[in-house]
Amino acid sequence: MKYGFIGIGNMGHFMAANCMKAGYEMVISNTHAKAAAEKLAEKGAEAVGSNGEVAQKAERIFLCLPNGDVVKEVIDELLSAEGTVVKEIYDFSTIAPTTSQQLGKDGTEKGYKYYDCPIAGGVAGAEAATLSIMVGCDENEFDHVKEVVSPMGKNIMYAGITGSGSAVKMFNNYLGGSGLVACCEVMVMAKKLGIDVENVFNIINKSTGRNFASETSIIPFLKERDFSPKFATDLFYKDINIAMETAAELKMSVPIGAATLEAFGAARAMGCGKEHSIAVVKYYEALAGVTVN
């Protein structure tokens, strides 16, 4: 059986390479990310000229795409291709759970399986094949999905019915983004108070206020003030916005999300969209008239 991988960007090309190491016959489109496509072709991937050609050759398709609109567009391309053989779609993209639910219903009606399998772990996790993968599918299909995606991840977890994987990823990034913003607020407040900011976080990281950002991002930032992109501000803005749109559909008030989105939006307006998401500290620094270092 052949596998197709569409979305061979920063993470996708590592994921595709790890699948090939596991013996998967991989078909890729060389229309985007040409440098990555060339490297994968050198390792044995079959490079073709369109997503439609991928659909003509691969029964199982992996997607790692930027947003829900692109996912729907690509799936339409795959299914409308003449002679398509696509039977299963594994979607690693971060999209709204309601979109994943609809894609699952569409798959049932049109005769293919759609599994939402969003990922966490960043580029490093993609390269090392240690990603966390949150799977939305019927429970009796989970073992099958887990086996198929296993070359790419270490923690492959059942989230619930179709759409649940996307929901858990949305919740994860909502909490991660709001925690990072709160850490940036604390850094600037501590600076304004004249307190040693690094020592503040050394203490917090041994106390109940610690979170992922405080434990992994803040101390390295204080030492280097490095804004090189790992998880960019633009991406967090997109992911928090997914949560806000979902909350609106559910007629829920989520004020922490609104404040988090505002902070990331302000950082983007300052030109920090492509920088590491910790660049949101620049917004608070500008308001407070201090620089954290």
Side-chain angles (χ1 to χ4, degrees), residues 75-262:
I75 289 177
D76 284 343
E77 287 182 64
L78 296 171
L79 298 179
S80 62
E82 184 177 353
T84 181
V85 297
V86 174
K87 293 181 179 177
E88 298 175 2
I89 295 175
Y90 299 77
D91 187 6
F92 301 113
S93 316
T94 298
I95 64 176
T98 49
T99 301
S100 292
Q101 289 172 343
Q102 185 59 53
L103 290 170
K105 291 176 183 177
D106 291 346
T108 300
E109 293 172 2
K110 297 176 181 178
Y112 68 92
K113 290 288 188 178
Y114 170 87
Y115 307 111
D116 53 307
C117 309
I119 52 180
V123 174
E127 184 173 11
T130 58
L131 291 169
S132 293
I133 305 178
M134 311 158 204
V135 179
C137 65
D138 290 342
E139 191 169 4
N140 61 5
E141 295 180 290
F142 175 62
D143 287 342
H144 167 69
V145 176
K146 183 176 181 179
E147 181 180 4
V148 171
V149 304
S150 61
M152 294 168 276
K154 181 179 180 181
N155 299 304
I156 303 168
M157 300 160 285
Y158 180 64
I161 60 172
T162 304
S164 300
S166 293
V168 174
K169 177 63 187 295
M170 177 183 70
F171 299 146
N172 179 76
N173 284 21
Y174 180 92
L175 292 170
S178 59
L180 175 61
V181 168
C183 284
C184 290
E185 292 176 344
V186 168
M187 280 196 289
V188 173
M189 244 193 296
K191 182 70 175 181
K192 287 279 284 185
L193 287 168
I195 300 173
D196 184 324
V197 182
E198 184 174 344
N199 191 49
V200 167
F201 279 91
N202 284 331
I203 295 170
I204 287 171
N205 285 336
K206 294 179 178 65
S207 307
T208 57
R210 66 189 182 277
N211 61 29
F212 183 78
S214 75
E215 292 183 324
T216 64
S217 301
I218 302 303
I219 301 301
F221 168 75
L222 290 169
K223 293 182 183 299
E224 303 291 339
R225 198 171 168 83
D226 179 14
F227 295 104
S228 58
K230 297 175 182 68
F231 194 84
T233 302
D234 279 344
L235 293 177
F236 249 137
Y237 182 85
K238 181 204 75 162
D239 291 352
I240 300 298
N241 202 46
I242 288 173
M244 297 302 296
E245 290 174 349
T246 302
E249 291 174 6
L250 298 172
K251 296 180 172 57
M252 285 183 59
S253 174
V254 282
I256 291 173
T260 302
L261 187 68
E262 179 184 4

Side-chain angles (χ1 to χ4, degrees), residues 16-35:
N18 286 325
C19 286
M20 291 166 62
K21 288 178 186 176
Y24 289 15
E25 290 185 60
M26 191 63 64
V27 184
I28 57 172
S29 170
N30 61 11
T31 55
H32 297 89
K34 291 186 178 296

